[in-house]
Amino acid sequence: MYSRRGFIGAAAVLAGAGVVSGRSQAAGIPEPASAKSAATQAPLSPANGQDYQPVVTLNGWTLPWRMNGEWKEFHLVAEPVMREMAPGMQVHLWGYNGQSPGPTIEAVEGDKVRIFVTNKLDEHTTVHWHGMPVPNGMDGVGGLTQPHIEPGKTFVYEFVLKRSGTFMYHPHSDEMVQMAMGMMGLFIVHPRDPQLYRVDRDFAFIMSSYDIDAGTSLPKVMTMTDFDMWAWNGRVFPGIDPLVVRRGDRVRVRIGNLTMTSHPIHLHGYSFEVTCTDGGWIPASARLPEVTTDVPVGAMRAFDFVADEPGDWAIHCHKAHHTMNAMGHDVKLLLGARERDLRQSVTKVVPNYMSMGSAGMAEMGRMQMQLPDNTLPMMTGFGQYGPLEMGGMFSVVKVREGIAPGDYGNPGPYRHPAGTVAYEVKGASEEAPRRSEAAPAVGPAIEGKAIKPGSRGPTSHH
Ligand SMILES: [Cu+2]
């Protein structure tokens, strides 16, 4: 929830807004709002100014503002925060206004925005408005376009929103550390014409990644590629809320990427069109139908679709390692090995030995393993038919009949109409048929012997 003080502060000032122009009048800093919870907050409908369909920030919230004359005033506070990545895992991050990512800033094309930034970190920072056309001195590159904001200081950014679209904000000051610690947020600018590109439901999230050793709560900020927590808005599955949609709605999903690698985001059940990048809206004639869109590093993509098919539709990054939590990459590969014998011998010297399963890793989704405090299983989450065997960048688009406008509450599992779920065939052979010629007979006698491709069997049988 918004803190009561902050929320009332944002609303109450509307009445008392005087005529203010120019930076000399910018004193009187708005009281900053702060969020305590990582639950998705109801979108913040515009109480004044131009109408628009507000975005829903997955597991996040929207920053209240006040009007001060012609200026829309926001207040960001850069500060250390605790973020729950999923139930059972709390992480020390840096963020804004109580959370990481920071609150979504939302405004309208043509708005004059004044954004106060207070630095409550122990080192200096700045804010860069990623993708936004701003005067050079408002671009937030510490040392290049402005002095860094020292701890305890407040700076003001003022600019006119020239272009609608999907943007981000993040520091340009000790950038590697500050972004690795989770300093980022979304900045959505709606078109001046409320009907232009309008959708019924508009979801937004920003992607970040962390390297957090099991049992610890601080990201290793020097890590460059080998991350183990792949997050949407600082959450990992099963901690990511579903995208709840009424059947027939026109839906938009806006995605930003501030990780160190690209993420091909895949939606099941639909084809969509990429309608917007951080460079602007894509003309209708140039949009391709897609089911996956790759979101490059330092970029944003928004895609639209009409939700005409009810169900629980998976949405996830298609890099399979990014739908895992706390993944150790040095697990030994034992697919096809006679692991039971191996496990028995290894356990004599390494009591808590655990390996990847010999049939695959699915057994990990069912196991209730003893984990260190403050970490998450690699594969987790249960659906109505069993374990989902997912983590990281995974959620569900839940399309249902008759959901009330503005209702984003989880409707529970989809009730499939009779006869529409994949089913087992009874009476079929328990032995899957195999190609007898090419398949070598594997038995105890040939363990450890090489089987050459194309040979008719193991050499030990000759
Ligand atoms: Cu990915």
Side-chain angles (χ1 to χ4, degrees):
M1 292 296 290
Y2 305 120
S3 80
R4 180 167 288 267
R5 273 154 49 96
F7 198 75
I8 289 172
V13 180
L14 301 176
V19 179
V20 175
S21 62
R23 65 180 58 213
S24 60
Q25 307 279 331
I29 301 173
E31 194 170 355
S34 184
K36 301 271 177 281
S37 142
T40 303
Q41 302 298 313
L44 197 57
S45 291
N48 47 63
Q50 200 71 36
D51 172 52
Y52 55 81
Q53 177 67 43
V55 295
V56 175
T57 308
L58 273 192
N59 296 99
W61 60 298
T62 302
L63 187 61
W65 68 88
R66 71 177 186 190
M67 292 305 295
N68 190 353
E70 297 183 312
W71 294 84
K72 225 172 228 185
E73 294 186 335
F74 299 86
H75 190 177
L76 286 175
V77 178
E79 60 187 356
V81 303
M82 282 302 279
R83 177 68 170 176
E84 184 194 67
M85 297 196 76
M89 187 167 186
Q90 297 272 347
V91 182
H92 288 280
L93 297 178
W94 294 351
Y96 300 91
N97 303 54
Q99 289 292 328
S100 166
T104 298
I105 298 175
E106 224 175 340
V108 178
E109 182 188 2
D111 278 353
K112 293 176 173 175
V113 297
R114 177 180 291 133
I115 304 168
F116 296 80
V117 177
T118 298
N119 183 7
K120 289 191 179 174
L121 298 171
D122 287 334
E123 68 166 359
H124 64 208
T125 190
T126 63
V127 180
H128 164 62
W129 315 100
H130 174 107
M132 292 214 149
V134 295
N136 186 242
M138 294 291 161
D139 198 40
V141 182
L144 179 68
T145 66
Q146 67 164 91
H148 297 270
I149 308 171
E150 296 300 327
K153 303 292 183 195
T154 297
F155 271 49
V156 175
Y157 295 87
E158 288 173 340
F159 45 91
V160 177
L161 302 178
K162 289 188 183 160
R163 190 152 55 76
S164 65
T166 308
F167 309 99
M168 302 185 271
Y169 64 88
H170 64 76
H172 237 291
S173 204
D174 193 13
E175 208 177 321
M176 186 197 80
V177 169
Q178 294 190 8
M179 287 204 289
M181 286 298 286
M183 295 187 75
M184 56 191 71
L186 293 151
F187 198 144
I188 308 296
V189 182
H190 296 280
R192 192 91 218 144
D193 173 359
Q195 295 314 313
L196 192 63
Y197 310 123
R198 193 180 181 101
V199 291
D200 302 302
R201 296 196 178 221
D202 197 339
F203 298 93
F205 62 85
I206 193 165
M207 301 188 282
S208 55
S209 58
Y210 306 94
D211 180 14
I212 304 169
D213 284 341
T216 72
S217 58
L218 187 67
K220 292 150 79 180
V221 296
M222 303 312 280
T223 295
M224 185 172 161
T225 54
D226 207 3
F227 299 93
D228 63 359
M229 299 303 274
W230 300 96
W232 288 356
N233 278 350
R235 297 281 281 188
V236 297
F237 187 78
I240 303 174
D241 279 342
L243 292 72
V244 177
V245 164
R246 175 168 62 170
R247 186 183 188 182
D249 275 351
R250 186 164 179 84
V251 180
R252 177 168 299 143
V253 182
R254 311 186 194 230
I255 307 161
N257 182 3
L258 287 179
T259 72
M260 299 284 275
T261 185
S262 67
H263 301 282
I265 303 301
H266 176 50
L267 171 63
H268 292 210
Y270 290 96
S271 80
F272 56 72
E273 287 182 340
V274 176
T275 49
C276 189
T277 77
D278 26 2
W281 297 94
I282 299 173
S285 61
R287 296 175 190 165
L288 297 173
E290 306 263 24
V291 297
T292 301
T293 186
D294 197 34
V295 185
V297 180
M300 311 212 59
R301 296 288 181 268
F303 63 74
D304 296 9
F305 64 99
V306 176
D308 49 12
E309 187 64 37
D312 283 347
W313 299 108
I315 179 171
H316 60 93
C317 177
H318 219 292
K319 288 183 176 171
H321 284 222
H322 296 178
T323 52
M324 297 275 118
N325 294 329
M327 167 115 186
H329 286 98
D330 49 1
V331 176
K332 296 291 171 270
L333 179 64
L334 291 166
L335 275 183
R338 291 165 58 84
E339 201 213 349
R340 215 187 56 177
D341 302 348
L342 182 67
R343 197 186 322 213
Q344 279 169 1
S345 6
V346 176
T347 305
K348 286 177 193 156
V349 280
V350 186
N352 292 319
Y353 168 76
M354 197 193 70
S355 72
M356 167 184 176
S358 55
M361 297 180 87
E363 62 192 78
M364 296 189 105
R366 289 185 294 272
M367 278 193 290
Q368 299 296 312
M369 292 181 305
Q370 196 62 41
L371 290 170
D373 286 344
N374 207 52
T375 190
L376 296 168
M378 262 174 76
M379 308 158 80
T380 178
F382 281 77
Q384 59 179 322
Y385 298 111
L388 263 79
E389 303 171 352
M390 291 281 167
M393 294 177 164
F394 181 93
S395 189
V396 182
V397 175
K398 290 179 169 279
V399 183
R400 299 288 189 278
E401 301 283 356
I403 288 181
D407 181 1
Y408 294 89
N410 189 343
Y414 180 61
R415 302 279 164 233
H416 299 92
T420 65
V421 177
Y423 59 99
E424 180 186 354
V425 176
K426 301 285 184 193
S429 164
E430 287 194 1
E431 280 297 317
R434 307 247 181 227
R435 224 154 55 108
S436 55
E437 204 185 349
V442 178
I446 54 96
E447 253 190 303
K449 294 279 166 64
I451 303 167
K452 289 178 182 167
S455 77
R456 296 183 67 83
T459 47
S460 59
H461 281 197
H462 288 174

